[in-house]
Amino acid sequence: MPLPDTMFCAQQIHIPPELPDILKQFTKAAIRTQPADVLQWSAGYFSALSRGDPLPVKDRLELPVVTQKTDTGLTQGLLKVLHKQCNHLRFIELVDLEQKWRTLCLPMEKLHALLVLDPCEDKVEWLKFLALGCSMLGGSLESAMKNICEILSTEPEGGPARIPFTTFSYLYRYLAGLDADILEADTESYLSDLQKKVECRQDMIGLSDFFVAKRKM
């Protein structure tokens, strides 16, 4: 239906004072995040903004990951976005996870492929799902743990990315337990050796620690 041919003068048009800043922040967020479907992502962005929820926005623009074997659409930056939205929860309902996944324009078949690795009915433990997502980014347990540390660490980007050893060991055991080729005895031996290296630093582990300690096979 065509718009009525009505003339307006500048005095008749009221522009909310906050609108320019909202549009500026939205534009910057879209450029950083580079959503595959701008309309779908925009709907999720403004919905989260209206509720005061964490926005589906990357911290920075990501360059293509040349080491990723297959293009799953998932990146560390997108997992960071999901973590900002879900880290206050121990468990997240699958319906909510699916909605956040769609907002980031990620393929639903990739979400289902992750959930098949550790089937659940209506909700999933968030940290375990994050670990599964990190395992999809690389091809090894070590690369998955590297991504986990970089996402969970509260230290400045580019630093040692330390996280509590209890969290590291919990997620390491979880991912190792899903790999039939990794013996439980090897996992426990590796974590025991690793803990000795970090207990003098209040049990905080960083990237340099677990890459130096080679997993026994």
Side-chain angles (χ1 to χ4, degrees), residues 178-196:
L178 296 176
D179 190 336
D181 294 331
I182 300 178
L183 299 178
E184 182 179 355
D186 291 339
T187 295
E188 295 306 318
S189 176
Y190 169 73
L191 291 175
S192 177
D193 290 342
L194 194 56
Q195 187 172 24
K196 296 174 184 177

Side-chain angles (χ1 to χ4, degrees), residues 22-78:
I22 290 175
L23 294 179
K24 178 180 178 181
Q25 296 304 319
F26 165 75
T27 302
K28 290 168 63 177
I31 292 172
R32 286 204 308 274
T33 306
Q34 297 284 303
D37 186 329
V38 176
L39 290 180
Q40 180 172 301
W41 175 82
S42 300
Y45 176 93
F46 285 110
S47 178
L49 184 64
S50 68
R51 297 191 305 267
D53 293 342
L55 300 175
V57 179
K58 290 182 183 179
D59 293 334
R60 58 179 176 82
L61 180 65
E62 284 186 294
L63 297 175
V65 181
V66 296
T67 57
Q68 192 164 325
K69 293 185 176 180
T70 57
D71 182 11
T72 64
L74 192 63
T75 66
Q76 187 190 94
L78 291 175

Side-chain angles (χ1 to χ4, degrees), residues 1-213:
M1 179 178 178
L3 295 174
D5 188 15
T6 305
M7 297 295 293
F8 293 95
C9 64
Q11 290 76 14
Q12 291 177 290
I13 301 175
H14 173 67
I15 299 178
E18 64 272 18
L19 180 60
D21 186 59
I22 290 175
L23 294 179
K24 178 180 178 181
Q25 296 304 319
F26 165 75
T27 302
K28 290 168 63 177
I31 292 172
R32 286 204 308 274
T33 306
Q34 297 284 303
D37 186 329
V38 176
L39 290 180
Q40 180 172 301
W41 175 82
S42 300
Y45 176 93
F46 285 110
S47 178
L49 184 64
S50 68
R51 297 191 305 267
D53 293 342
L55 300 175
V57 179
K58 290 182 183 179
D59 293 334
R60 58 179 176 82
L61 180 65
E62 284 186 294
L63 297 175
V65 181
V66 296
T67 57
Q68 192 164 325
K69 293 185 176 180
T70 57
D71 182 11
T72 64
L74 192 63
T75 66
Q76 187 190 94
L78 291 175
L79 281 175
K80 282 185 177 181
V81 172
L82 288 170
H83 184 61
K84 285 192 295 185
Q85 296 177 314
C86 305
N87 64 7
H88 62 290
L89 301 170
R90 181 180 178 188
F91 292 91
I92 181 170
E93 301 288 336
L94 291 185
V95 63
D96 293 334
L97 179 58
E98 288 176 356
Q99 181 58 48
K100 289 177 170 54
W101 193 268
R102 285 194 184 95
T103 293
L104 293 174
C105 311
L106 289 166
M108 292 305 297
E109 62 268 21
K110 300 303 180 183
L111 173 61
H112 298 153
L114 285 175
L115 294 174
V116 165
L117 297 175
D118 189 8
C120 55
E121 292 188 3
D122 55 358
K123 60 184 178 180
V124 61
E125 186 175 341
W126 169 246
L127 282 182
K128 286 185 175 181
F129 180 81
L130 177 65
L132 291 175
C134 288
S135 71
M136 181 174 278
L137 296 182
S140 68
L141 178 55
E142 283 75 15
S143 64
M145 295 309 301
K146 174 181 180 292
N147 282 297
I148 287 172
C149 286
E150 291 176 340
I151 291 172
L152 296 183
S153 178
T154 59
E155 296 182 334
E157 189 172 343
R162 295 191 180 98
I163 65 173
F165 181 77
T166 52
T167 302
F168 179 93
S169 59
Y170 176 68
L171 296 179
Y172 188 96
R173 285 190 180 97
Y174 172 66
L175 291 180
L178 296 176
D179 190 336
D181 294 331
I182 300 178
L183 299 178
E184 182 179 355
D186 291 339
T187 295
E188 295 306 318
S189 176
Y190 169 73
L191 291 175
S192 177
D193 290 342
L194 194 56
Q195 187 172 24
K196 296 174 184 177
K197 297 178 181 296
V198 302
E199 58 188 8
C200 62
R201 293 200 309 268
Q202 299 180 329
D203 285 338
M204 296 292 288
I205 181 170
L207 298 181
S208 60
D209 298 308
F210 76 89
F211 276 123
V212 170

